[in-house]
């Protein structure tokens, strides 16, 4: 379902370097979640990590080739710092009550939520491909979330 949803349409080519970067980011998020699950105060750790990222952000601004506006910096700060911070707060509030595998599967819903947000807030057109991909992803999440009884038991 995710491949159907995220694979480029038409003649677009998937860049190898971008694919590798996304795989690394996925592994990093998985590690971050697992480590956060065991942290005494995951919100404080996340806040500290946000602060540690500030020099990297500042350095990237120095090397950016124009196109940086005050409004863009504010928008990026709100989107990256505030909304992500709230997302982490909610995630780490819920995470202790979830099994690791359930948490991993639940994260697969994020691209579908992003697409729904694009349709609602950005008036992106709904395509049959989006609908099929959403059904596949959400169906897979539902299927993997069901507790199955061993064969022969009712």
């Amino acid at each position: 379902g995710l491949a159907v949803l995220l694979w480029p349409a038409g003649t677009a080519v998937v860049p190898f370097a971008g694919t590798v970067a996304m795989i690394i980011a996925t592994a990093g998020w998985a590690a971050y979640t697992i480590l956060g699950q065991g942290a005494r105060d995951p919100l404080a750790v996340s806040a500290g990590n946000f602060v540690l990222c500030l020099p990297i952000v500042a350095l990237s601004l120095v090397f950016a080739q124009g196109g940086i506006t005050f409004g863009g910096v504010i928008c990026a700060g709100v989107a990256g710092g505030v909304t992500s911070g709230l997302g982490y707060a909610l995630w780490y509030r819920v995470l202790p009550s979830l099994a690791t595998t359930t948490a991993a599967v639940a994260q697969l819903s994020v691209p579908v939520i992003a697409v729904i947000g694009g349709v609602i807030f950005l008036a992106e057109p709904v395509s049959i491909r989006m609908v099929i991909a959403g059904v596949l992803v959400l169906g897979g999440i539902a299927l993997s979330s069901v507790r199955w009884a061993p064969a022969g038991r009712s």
Side-chain angles (χ1 to χ4, degrees), residues 48-107:
N49 290 335
F50 272 62
V51 170
L52 288 173
C53 287
L54 289 176
I56 297 168
V57 171
L59 189 61
S60 67
L61 290 175
V62 168
F63 290 107
Q65 299 291 325
I68 298 174
T69 64
F70 179 74
V73 170
I74 296 299
C75 184
V78 169
V82 177
T83 58
S84 292
L86 292 173
Y88 281 116
L90 175 62
W91 179 243
Y92 283 122
R93 174 70 114 178
V94 172
L95 189 59
S97 63
L98 299 175
T100 303
T101 53
T102 303
V105 170
Q107 290 178 18

Side-chain angles (χ1 to χ4, degrees), residues 6 29 31-32 39 43 48 67 83 88 93-94 106 114 116 122 128 133 141 143 151:
L6 301 174
W29 174 247
Y32 194 79
L43 290 179
T83 58
Y88 281 116
R93 174 70 114 178
V94 172
I116 292 169
L122 302 175
I128 190 67
I141 291 169
L143 189 61

